[in-house]
Amino acid sequence: MTSVPPNAQAPGTGTAPQVRASALLRHPRLWLVPTLLCALVSLLLSLLYMGGILSPNDHLDQLPIALVDEDEGHPLPGQRENLGKQITDAVVSVGSTKTSVDWRLLDAAAAQDALASGKVFGALVVPKEFTASVAALTTNRATVRPTLTVLTNPGLGSLGSSLAAQINQAAAHQASLTIGRQLSATAAVPTTRLLLTDPVAVTTRVGHPIGRHSGLGLTAFYYTLLLVLGGFIGGNLVNSGVDTALGYADSELGPWHTRHPTVPISRTQTLVLKMLMTAGIALLTTTLVMVATIGILGMDADHLPMLWLFSYCATVAVGLGVQAINAAFGGIGQLVSMFVFIALALPSSGATVPLQATPAFYRFLGIFEPMHQLSAGVRSILYFDAQADAGLARGWIMIAVGTAAALAFGFAMTHYYDRRGLRRLTPQPE
């Protein structure tokens, strides 16, 4: 195989002649690694990002929706149960043959609590006077059209809430058609029979309101993305900045080149330094994120001390993970951490497309990928009154697990390298 000319390794040094780019372009070895890496990254990112959002309806699996029967009316003539019981039984029986929806039979108070804690994406409610209002349609006493109510939960994201609303509206429409067939069979006048074909109206309203400056339930996702990017970018900036300052990497800014004297320091102590700096700088970056999003832009947010503490710990956990990966993998550490904290994390976050509407692979990633855990915690603080069971407790647990894993993995690898005498290259200044 043809190799790159030796003088191409350090062009412009000493008296070696300058090498032209056109000459180097003819050497396959120069193309091989960047071409393969760029192609692989482009292919994987395309598959990962688009694969999770293309067809959410086709991948629905156990989307939790509440089903509330408040109907207190007496059964219609010739029937043993009132219409509320018939509707809820029919919805559940149809749902039991499919896995797309997890219908949860709840009373009104439990359904409201489930909406307020982010446990369900919406609710279908049969009101108290439903059977009585249906019975009145066949008489001259009808004053209102029977109505089923669909409740949305925008705190779980606009797409998830919309999916639940569509499912509820379809179930309500099917119930209306079934009731209409029953009533039409007893109606004597053709005009009345036509009106009774689809007798039930469906109203949609917000079951658990969120603030007007909440991005239709998307501020939790974008705020979490800021925390993850803060930890990821901050960790990599600290990594490269420390290596440059300690003389283990060169610094180039346009035409200016700097090479500092090498500081003798072990890999383990270097990792300690980088992790402490990451944690220290995160105090500033976390505060600035809140100042920008809440103070300047006016994002709706309560529990500000809790939000700041959670944000700081989340940013630090990601930053420590980046430092551990860079210490273990060296030059390709940034690429590895990009896949761990960004490429795999974003489509499995469940913050834009519910995990219940993604392929099984993304639901598996959501078990441990940080974005899903952190967005659930942020969403709990922003939309659900910082309730522990709304995702905040799991967020804290995964921050602790992630921090412990980063410390254990990072120091295990650097200690191993130091013990084996695998010291870093130390370019000395001229």
Side-chain angles (χ1 to χ4, degrees):
M1 179 181 293
T2 305
S3 61
V4 178
N7 56 8
Q9 304 300 319
T13 59
T15 58
Q18 295 286 317
V19 178
R20 298 186 66 84
S22 57
L24 296 176
L25 286 174
R26 294 194 296 269
H27 294 275
R29 285 182 58 186
L30 198 63
W31 288 81
L32 182 61
V33 174
T35 301
L36 289 178
L37 287 179
C38 289
L40 184 61
V41 168
S42 298
L43 176 64
L44 290 178
L45 288 181
S46 301
L47 293 174
L48 288 171
Y49 285 156
M50 299 304 292
I53 65 168
L54 286 179
S55 52
N57 285 295
D58 295 339
H59 297 288
L60 277 178
D61 182 63
Q62 297 296 311
L63 188 74
I65 300 177
L67 190 58
V68 182
D69 177 17
E70 296 185 290
D71 192 0
E72 298 176 346
H74 296 292
L76 296 176
Q79 299 182 3
R80 292 181 298 177
E81 298 173 329
N82 64 22
L83 292 177
K85 184 69 164 59
Q86 293 181 44
I87 290 173
T88 53
D89 286 349
V91 170
V92 171
S93 65
V94 172
S96 64
T97 62
K98 304 177 181 179
T99 61
S100 57
V101 181
D102 176 18
W103 291 104
R104 301 183 180 182
L105 277 170
L106 304 173
D107 59 33
Q112 192 58 51
D113 180 69
L115 288 166
S117 58
K119 292 185 175 67
V120 294
F121 283 81
L124 178 61
V125 180
V126 184
K128 293 181 179 180
E129 303 299 326
F130 185 73
T131 298
S133 61
V134 170
L137 290 177
T138 58
T139 70
N140 57 4
R141 301 190 307 273
T143 58
V144 294
R145 189 180 180 190
T147 302
L148 295 175
T149 302
V150 172
L151 301 180
T152 62
N153 197 359
L156 291 178
S158 54
L159 179 58
S161 182
S162 175
L163 284 173
Q166 292 174 21
I167 293 169
N168 281 328
Q169 290 165 357
H173 180 63
Q174 185 59 47
S176 177
L177 295 178
T178 302
I179 294 171
R181 285 193 293 269
Q182 296 176 7
L183 297 177
S184 297
T186 63
V189 182
T191 303
T192 304
R193 188 179 297 116
L194 179 63
L195 293 174
L196 293 178
T197 301
D198 188 5
V200 179
V202 180
T203 61
T204 302
R205 60 183 176 85
V206 177
H208 177 69
I210 57 177
R212 195 167 66 90
H213 297 138
S214 297
L216 300 177
L218 290 177
T219 50
F221 166 71
Y222 284 103
Y223 186 88
T224 305
L225 180 60
L226 289 173
L227 301 182
V228 173
L229 288 176
F232 173 76
I233 297 175
N236 281 311
L237 289 175
V238 168
N239 179 70
S240 60
V242 169
D243 284 348
T244 299
L246 297 182
Y248 291 91
D250 290 356
S251 173
E252 290 189 43
L253 183 61
W256 294 281
H257 171 265
T258 303
R259 182 182 295 176
H260 297 286
T262 303
V263 177
I265 186 173
S266 68
R267 291 177 180 267
T268 299
Q269 288 301 307
T270 302
L271 182 58
V272 170
L273 175 63
K274 291 177 179 179
M275 286 188 166
L276 290 176
M277 290 182 63
T278 298
I281 293 173
L283 292 168
L284 175 62
T285 59
T286 300
T287 302
L288 290 177
V289 167
M290 290 188 64
V291 168
T293 57
I294 301 172
I296 298 176
L297 298 177
M299 183 183 78
D300 289 323
D302 295 321
H303 308 283
L304 297 186
M306 171 72 76
L307 181 61
W308 184 91
L309 182 61
F310 187 88
S311 302
Y312 172 73
C313 293
T315 302
V316 170
V318 173
L320 296 185
V322 168
Q323 299 299 3
I325 291 173
N326 285 338
F329 294 98
I332 65 168
Q334 292 187 19
L335 184 60
V336 174
S337 60
M338 186 270 288
F339 269 92
V340 172
F341 294 109
I342 306 296
L344 294 175
L346 282 176
S348 64
S349 67
T352 51
V353 179
L355 283 181
Q356 294 89 346
T358 60
F361 172 68
Y362 298 91
R363 295 195 292 273
F364 168 73
L365 290 178
I367 297 174
F368 56 86
E369 274 292 335
M371 196 79 167
H372 177 58
Q373 330 302 332
L374 299 182
S375 63
V378 170
R379 188 166 54 196
S380 173
I381 297 172
L382 293 182
Y383 308 145
F384 300 121
D385 199 30
Q387 297 183 64
D389 60 349
L392 185 57
R394 181 176 177 84
W396 278 119
I397 291 172
M398 295 309 294
I399 284 175
V401 171
T403 300
L407 293 173
F409 176 68
F411 287 115
M413 294 303 296
T414 55
H415 178 70
Y416 171 77
Y417 293 153
D418 286 338
R419 188 161 51 87
R420 292 289 304 271
L422 302 174
R423 296 179 178 83
R424 304 179 69 186
L425 293 178
T426 55
Q428 299 293 334
E430 296 176 351

